[in-house]
Amino acid sequence: MSDAVRVLVVEDEALIASFVEDALSDGGFEACSVHSGKEAMSTFCDGREGCRVLLTDINLGDGISGWELARQIREITPGFPVVYMTSASAPDWQSQGVDGSVLIQKPFAPAQLAAAVSQLLDTGASPA
C-alpha cells in the first residue's frame, strides 16, 4: 500500500470521515484524515505525510472553511489538486472554489469519490 497516492482528507464528522477513508482505500488511495482546516494546514505544511490531493468538506465547524483551506494550500503549491465535498454549498462552487477543482455532492457513492480523485491526477487539473 506504500505506493498508493496519499489524499489529505478534511472532514469534521467522524462517520463521514470513516466512509471517505474506506472509499479511498477501495479506490486504491491512502487517506490521511484530519478534522479541521487548522489541522489540515499543519499537516500540509509539515509535509511528512506526502499528500498529493486535498479532499475537503466545505463547512468545517469553527475555523476556516474548505474554500479558504484550498486557497491557502494553492498559495503554497499552485495547481495542487482539490476535491470539495458538500451537501449545501454546491451553488457557491463557481464563485468560491479554486480553479481546476472538482466538487462532488453528498451523498455520493464510494466510486464517485475515487473517480473524482483519479480525474484530477490523470488530467492534472481540469477546468472547474
Side-chain angles (χ1 to χ4, degrees), residues 80-120:
F80 196 81
V82 174
V83 178
Y84 297 106
M85 306 176 285
T86 188
S87 55
S89 299
D92 299 327
W93 179 41
Q94 291 298 326
S95 63
Q96 296 291 318
V98 296
D99 288 342
S101 61
V102 171
L103 181 134
I104 56 176
Q105 282 195 261
K106 296 175 183 175
F108 48 79
Q112 287 176 282
L113 192 59
V117 172
S118 292
Q119 173 190 344
L120 284 177

Tab-separated table of all heavy atoms in Angstrom, residues 80-120:
chain	number	residue	atom	x	y	z
A	80	PHE	N	-2.242	22.540	-6.869
A	80	PHE	CA	-2.448	21.360	-6.039
A	80	PHE	C	-3.876	20.863	-6.247
A	80	PHE	O	-4.827	21.632	-6.191
A	80	PHE	CB	-2.224	21.707	-4.560
A	80	PHE	CG	-2.038	20.508	-3.673
A	80	PHE	CD1	-0.801	19.885	-3.590
A	80	PHE	CD2	-3.095	19.997	-2.940
A	80	PHE	CE1	-0.617	18.770	-2.770
A	80	PHE	CE2	-2.926	18.886	-2.119
A	80	PHE	CZ	-1.683	18.273	-2.040
A	81	PRO	N	-4.056	19.557	-6.515
A	81	PRO	CA	-5.396	19.022	-6.800
A	81	PRO	C	-6.338	19.159	-5.602
A	81	PRO	O	-5.978	18.797	-4.475
A	81	PRO	CB	-5.139	17.544	-7.118
A	81	PRO	CG	-3.690	17.479	-7.504
A	81	PRO	CD	-3.012	18.536	-6.683
A	82	VAL	N	-7.550	19.656	-5.882
A	82	VAL	CA	-8.542	19.884	-4.833
A	82	VAL	C	-9.872	19.265	-5.236
A	82	VAL	O	-10.375	19.526	-6.334
A	82	VAL	CB	-8.750	21.397	-4.577
A	82	VAL	CG1	-9.889	21.636	-3.585
A	82	VAL	CG2	-7.467	22.052	-4.090
A	83	VAL	N	-10.432	18.461	-4.320
A	83	VAL	CA	-11.788	17.937	-4.473
A	83	VAL	C	-12.585	18.418	-3.263
A	83	VAL	O	-12.159	18.221	-2.122
A	83	VAL	CB	-11.815	16.390	-4.523
A	83	VAL	CG1	-13.251	15.887	-4.636
A	83	VAL	CG2	-10.961	15.859	-5.658
A	84	TYR	N	-13.714	19.077	-3.544
A	84	TYR	CA	-14.604	19.524	-2.479
A	84	TYR	C	-15.733	18.514	-2.317
A	84	TYR	O	-16.222	17.967	-3.308
A	84	TYR	CB	-15.244	20.873	-2.826
A	84	TYR	CG	-14.286	22.018	-2.973
A	84	TYR	CD1	-13.972	22.529	-4.231
A	84	TYR	CD2	-13.712	22.628	-1.865
A	84	TYR	CE1	-13.115	23.605	-4.372
A	84	TYR	CE2	-12.853	23.708	-1.997
A	84	TYR	CZ	-12.558	24.196	-3.263
A	84	TYR	OH	-11.715	25.256	-3.402
A	85	MET	N	-16.167	18.309	-1.063
A	85	MET	CA	-17.351	17.505	-0.761
A	85	MET	C	-18.325	18.413	-0.025
A	85	MET	O	-17.932	19.101	0.915
A	85	MET	CB	-17.028	16.348	0.190
A	85	MET	CG	-15.926	15.438	-0.203
A	85	MET	SD	-15.614	14.201	1.095
A	85	MET	CE	-14.751	15.175	2.357
A	86	THR	N	-19.593	18.420	-0.453
A	86	THR	CA	-20.568	19.256	0.236
A	86	THR	C	-21.984	18.786	-0.058
A	86	THR	O	-22.222	18.134	-1.067
A	86	THR	CB	-20.426	20.731	-0.175
A	86	THR	OG1	-21.261	21.536	0.656
A	86	THR	CG2	-20.770	20.958	-1.633
A	87	SER	N	-22.879	19.144	0.846
A	87	SER	CA	-24.290	18.897	0.572
A	87	SER	C	-25.000	20.220	0.307
A	87	SER	O	-25.833	20.310	-0.571
A	87	SER	CB	-24.949	18.152	1.731
A	87	SER	OG	-24.756	18.847	2.934
A	88	ALA	N	-24.644	21.259	1.030
A	88	ALA	CA	-25.376	22.520	0.939
A	88	ALA	C	-24.658	23.630	0.170
A	88	ALA	O	-25.293	24.578	-0.285
A	88	ALA	CB	-25.698	23.019	2.338
A	89	SER	N	-23.350	23.534	0.012
A	89	SER	CA	-22.588	24.659	-0.537
A	89	SER	C	-22.284	24.548	-2.029
A	89	SER	O	-21.549	25.379	-2.565
A	89	SER	CB	-21.273	24.808	0.229
A	89	SER	OG	-21.527	25.075	1.586
A	90	ALA	N	-22.825	23.559	-2.709
A	90	ALA	CA	-22.527	23.373	-4.127
A	90	ALA	C	-22.781	24.614	-4.989
A	90	ALA	O	-21.983	24.914	-5.879
A	90	ALA	CB	-23.301	22.171	-4.684
A	91	PRO	N	-23.867	25.386	-4.743
A	91	PRO	CA	-24.099	26.566	-5.575
A	91	PRO	C	-22.983	27.613	-5.506
A	91	PRO	O	-22.839	28.435	-6.408
A	91	PRO	CB	-25.419	27.143	-5.040
A	91	PRO	CG	-26.102	25.983	-4.393
A	91	PRO	CD	-24.978	25.144	-3.822
A	92	ASP	N	-22.189	27.581	-4.441
A	92	ASP	CA	-21.113	28.564	-4.257
A	92	ASP	C	-19.805	28.157	-4.939
A	92	ASP	O	-18.843	28.924	-4.937
A	92	ASP	CB	-20.836	28.772	-2.762
A	92	ASP	CG	-22.055	29.304	-2.029
A	92	ASP	OD1	-22.828	30.060	-2.646
A	92	ASP	OD2	-22.230	28.949	-0.854
A	93	TRP	N	-19.756	26.954	-5.500
A	93	TRP	CA	-18.504	26.424	-6.056
A	93	TRP	C	-17.904	27.330	-7.131
A	93	TRP	O	-16.702	27.608	-7.112
A	93	TRP	CB	-18.744	25.015	-6.595
A	93	TRP	CG	-17.557	24.358	-7.206
A	93	TRP	CD1	-16.263	24.373	-6.751
A	93	TRP	CD2	-17.528	23.567	-8.381
A	93	TRP	NE1	-15.454	23.623	-7.563
A	93	TRP	CE2	-16.212	23.128	-8.580
A	93	TRP	CE3	-18.511	23.172	-9.285
A	93	TRP	CZ2	-15.845	22.323	-9.648
A	93	TRP	CZ3	-18.151	22.362	-10.345
A	93	TRP	CH2	-16.830	21.950	-10.512
A	94	GLN	N	-18.723	27.795	-8.057
A	94	GLN	CA	-18.188	28.621	-9.142
A	94	GLN	C	-17.533	29.902	-8.636
A	94	GLN	O	-16.528	30.339	-9.178
A	94	GLN	CB	-19.292	28.958	-10.159
A	94	GLN	CG	-19.772	27.766	-10.959
A	94	GLN	CD	-18.672	27.141	-11.814
A	94	GLN	OE1	-17.791	27.819	-12.330
A	94	GLN	NE2	-18.717	25.828	-11.957
A	95	SER	N	-18.070	30.487	-7.573
A	95	SER	CA	-17.506	31.738	-7.061
A	95	SER	C	-16.449	31.516	-5.967
A	95	SER	O	-15.552	32.342	-5.812
A	95	SER	CB	-18.615	32.639	-6.518
A	95	SER	OG	-19.274	32.023	-5.423
A	96	GLN	N	-16.541	30.424	-5.227
A	96	GLN	CA	-15.648	30.211	-4.090
A	96	GLN	C	-14.541	29.179	-4.337
A	96	GLN	O	-13.501	29.230	-3.695
A	96	GLN	CB	-16.460	29.759	-2.867
A	96	GLN	CG	-17.445	30.786	-2.371
A	96	GLN	CD	-16.748	31.977	-1.749
A	96	GLN	OE1	-15.775	31.843	-1.012
A	96	GLN	NE2	-17.248	33.161	-2.051
A	97	GLY	N	-14.788	28.227	-5.222
A	97	GLY	CA	-13.826	27.153	-5.448
A	97	GLY	C	-12.598	27.611	-6.212
A	97	GLY	O	-12.649	28.568	-6.981
A	98	VAL	N	-11.491	26.931	-6.000
A	98	VAL	CA	-10.262	27.256	-6.732
A	98	VAL	C	-10.351	26.693	-8.150
A	98	VAL	O	-11.059	25.714	-8.405
A	98	VAL	CB	-9.002	26.716	-6.008
A	98	VAL	CG1	-8.825	27.388	-4.655
A	98	VAL	CG2	-9.028	25.202	-5.855
A	99	ASP	N	-9.627	27.307	-9.067
A	99	ASP	CA	-9.621	26.865	-10.459
A	99	ASP	C	-9.179	25.412	-10.571
A	99	ASP	O	-8.257	24.985	-9.882
A	99	ASP	CB	-8.662	27.732	-11.303
A	99	ASP	CG	-9.190	29.132	-11.534
A	99	ASP	OD1	-10.409	29.353	-11.366
A	99	ASP	OD2	-8.382	30.004	-11.873
A	100	GLY	N	-9.841	24.695	-11.460
A	100	GLY	CA	-9.438	23.327	-11.727
A	100	GLY	C	-9.843	22.334	-10.659
A	100	GLY	O	-9.388	21.196	-10.666
A	101	SER	N	-10.686	22.753	-9.735
A	101	SER	CA	-11.125	21.848	-8.676
A	101	SER	C	-12.320	21.025	-9.150
A	101	SER	O	-12.918	21.306	-10.187
A	101	SER	CB	-11.497	22.638	-7.420
A	101	SER	OG	-12.570	23.531	-7.685
A	102	VAL	N	-12.640	20.009	-8.373
A	102	VAL	CA	-13.797	19.160	-8.626
A	102	VAL	C	-14.680	19.217	-7.398
A	102	VAL	O	-14.183	19.278	-6.275
A	102	VAL	CB	-13.349	17.704	-8.903
A	102	VAL	CG1	-14.527	16.755	-8.949
A	102	VAL	CG2	-12.542	17.624	-10.185
A	103	LEU	N	-16.002	19.208	-7.602
A	103	LEU	CA	-16.938	19.183	-6.492
A	103	LEU	C	-17.838	17.971	-6.635
A	103	LEU	O	-18.350	17.703	-7.714
A	103	LEU	CB	-17.786	20.452	-6.463
A	103	LEU	CG	-18.794	20.516	-5.314
A	103	LEU	CD1	-18.742	21.876	-4.637
A	103	LEU	CD2	-20.188	20.204	-5.790
A	104	ILE	N	-17.986	17.232	-5.529
A	104	ILE	CA	-18.951	16.144	-5.510
A	104	ILE	C	-19.942	16.414	-4.391
A	104	ILE	O	-19.568	16.877	-3.312
A	104	ILE	CB	-18.294	14.754	-5.368
A	104	ILE	CG1	-17.406	14.664	-4.137
A	104	ILE	CG2	-17.515	14.401	-6.606
A	104	ILE	CD1	-16.835	13.284	-3.914
A	105	GLN	N	-21.212	16.170	-4.687
A	105	GLN	CA	-22.260	16.464	-3.720
A	105	GLN	C	-22.577	15.261	-2.857
A	105	GLN	O	-22.658	14.135	-3.354
A	105	GLN	CB	-23.526	16.929	-4.441
A	105	GLN	CG	-23.417	18.367	-4.895
A	105	GLN	CD	-24.767	18.933	-5.269
A	105	GLN	OE1	-25.104	18.976	-6.431
A	105	GLN	NE2	-25.523	19.368	-4.276
A	106	LYS	N	-22.724	15.518	-1.561
A	106	LYS	CA	-23.165	14.499	-0.618
A	106	LYS	C	-24.672	14.342	-0.770
A	106	LYS	O	-25.353	15.349	-0.978
A	106	LYS	CB	-22.852	14.911	0.824
A	106	LYS	CG	-21.383	15.051	1.140
A	106	LYS	CD	-21.241	15.573	2.565
A	106	LYS	CE	-19.802	15.816	2.947
A	106	LYS	NZ	-19.682	16.433	4.269
A	107	PRO	N	-25.205	13.164	-0.657
A	107	PRO	CA	-24.496	11.893	-0.509
A	107	PRO	C	-23.938	11.440	-1.855
A	107	PRO	O	-24.506	11.740	-2.902
A	107	PRO	CB	-25.586	10.937	-0.013
A	107	PRO	CG	-26.839	11.490	-0.595
A	107	PRO	CD	-26.661	12.985	-0.645
A	108	PHE	N	-22.828	10.732	-1.821
A	108	PHE	CA	-22.216	10.219	-3.045
A	108	PHE	C	-21.840	8.762	-2.837
A	108	PHE	O	-21.698	8.296	-1.715
A	108	PHE	CB	-20.992	11.041	-3.451
A	108	PHE	CG	-20.035	11.308	-2.327
A	108	PHE	CD1	-19.135	10.340	-1.911
A	108	PHE	CD2	-20.038	12.536	-1.678
A	108	PHE	CE1	-18.249	10.586	-0.869
A	108	PHE	CE2	-19.156	12.790	-0.623
A	108	PHE	CZ	-18.268	11.812	-0.227
A	109	ALA	N	-21.680	8.067	-3.952
A	109	ALA	CA	-21.257	6.667	-3.896
A	109	ALA	C	-19.743	6.627	-3.740
A	109	ALA	O	-19.039	7.520	-4.227
A	109	ALA	CB	-21.675	5.949	-5.175
A	110	PRO	N	-19.212	5.601	-3.078
A	110	PRO	CA	-17.759	5.496	-2.906
A	110	PRO	C	-16.994	5.600	-4.231
A	110	PRO	O	-15.952	6.251	-4.291
A	110	PRO	CB	-17.572	4.122	-2.264
A	110	PRO	CG	-18.848	3.873	-1.544
A	110	PRO	CD	-19.921	4.516	-2.389
A	111	ALA	N	-17.526	4.996	-5.284
A	111	ALA	CA	-16.833	5.033	-6.571
A	111	ALA	C	-16.731	6.455	-7.124
A	111	ALA	O	-15.759	6.781	-7.813
A	111	ALA	CB	-17.542	4.127	-7.579
A	112	GLN	N	-17.711	7.310	-6.822
A	112	GLN	CA	-17.661	8.695	-7.290
A	112	GLN	C	-16.472	9.430	-6.680
A	112	GLN	O	-15.834	10.251	-7.334
A	112	GLN	CB	-18.944	9.438	-6.922
A	112	GLN	CG	-20.159	9.047	-7.721
A	112	GLN	CD	-21.383	9.769	-7.207
A	112	GLN	OE1	-21.954	9.393	-6.184
A	112	GLN	NE2	-21.771	10.823	-7.888
A	113	LEU	N	-16.192	9.132	-5.437
A	113	LEU	CA	-15.089	9.773	-4.728
A	113	LEU	C	-13.752	9.393	-5.358
A	113	LEU	O	-12.939	10.258	-5.687
A	113	LEU	CB	-15.133	9.353	-3.262
A	113	LEU	CG	-14.269	10.108	-2.286
A	113	LEU	CD1	-14.624	11.573	-2.276
A	113	LEU	CD2	-14.442	9.519	-0.910
A	114	ALA	N	-13.524	8.104	-5.540
A	114	ALA	CA	-12.279	7.637	-6.153
A	114	ALA	C	-12.155	8.163	-7.581
A	114	ALA	O	-11.061	8.539	-8.012
A	114	ALA	CB	-12.221	6.117	-6.134
A	115	ALA	N	-13.263	8.227	-8.305
A	115	ALA	CA	-13.228	8.727	-9.688
A	115	ALA	C	-12.844	10.202	-9.730
A	115	ALA	O	-12.080	10.633	-10.600
A	115	ALA	CB	-14.582	8.513	-10.362
A	116	ALA	N	-13.346	10.993	-8.784
A	116	ALA	CA	-13.011	12.423	-8.747
A	116	ALA	C	-11.527	12.632	-8.482
A	116	ALA	O	-10.874	13.453	-9.133
A	116	ALA	CB	-13.848	13.127	-7.683
A	117	VAL	N	-10.973	11.879	-7.548
A	117	VAL	CA	-9.545	11.985	-7.247
A	117	VAL	C	-8.722	11.527	-8.450
A	117	VAL	O	-7.774	12.198	-8.872
A	117	VAL	CB	-9.187	11.175	-5.986
A	117	VAL	CG1	-7.681	11.128	-5.781
A	117	VAL	CG2	-9.876	11.761	-4.757
A	118	SER	N	-9.110	10.421	-9.052
A	118	SER	CA	-8.398	9.902	-10.220
A	118	SER	C	-8.426	10.887	-11.376
A	118	SER	O	-7.436	11.078	-12.073
A	118	SER	CB	-9.013	8.582	-10.684
A	118	SER	OG	-8.791	7.576	-9.731
A	119	GLN	N	-9.580	11.529	-11.573
A	119	GLN	CA	-9.724	12.502	-12.659
A	119	GLN	C	-8.691	13.619	-12.527
A	119	GLN	O	-8.040	13.985	-13.504
A	119	GLN	CB	-11.131	13.090	-12.641
A	119	GLN	CG	-11.336	14.236	-13.623
A	119	GLN	CD	-12.671	14.951	-13.413
A	119	GLN	OE1	-13.569	14.447	-12.760
A	119	GLN	NE2	-12.781	16.129	-13.988
A	120	LEU	N	-8.533	14.145	-11.339
A	120	LEU	CA	-7.564	15.229	-11.134
A	120	LEU	C	-6.146	14.756	-11.341
A	120	LEU	O	-5.322	15.480	-11.896
A	120	LEU	CB	-7.716	15.813	-9.734
A	120	LEU	CG	-8.904	16.717	-9.519
A	120	LEU	CD1	-8.975	17.168	-8.070
A	120	LEU	CD2	-8.853	17.929	-10.431
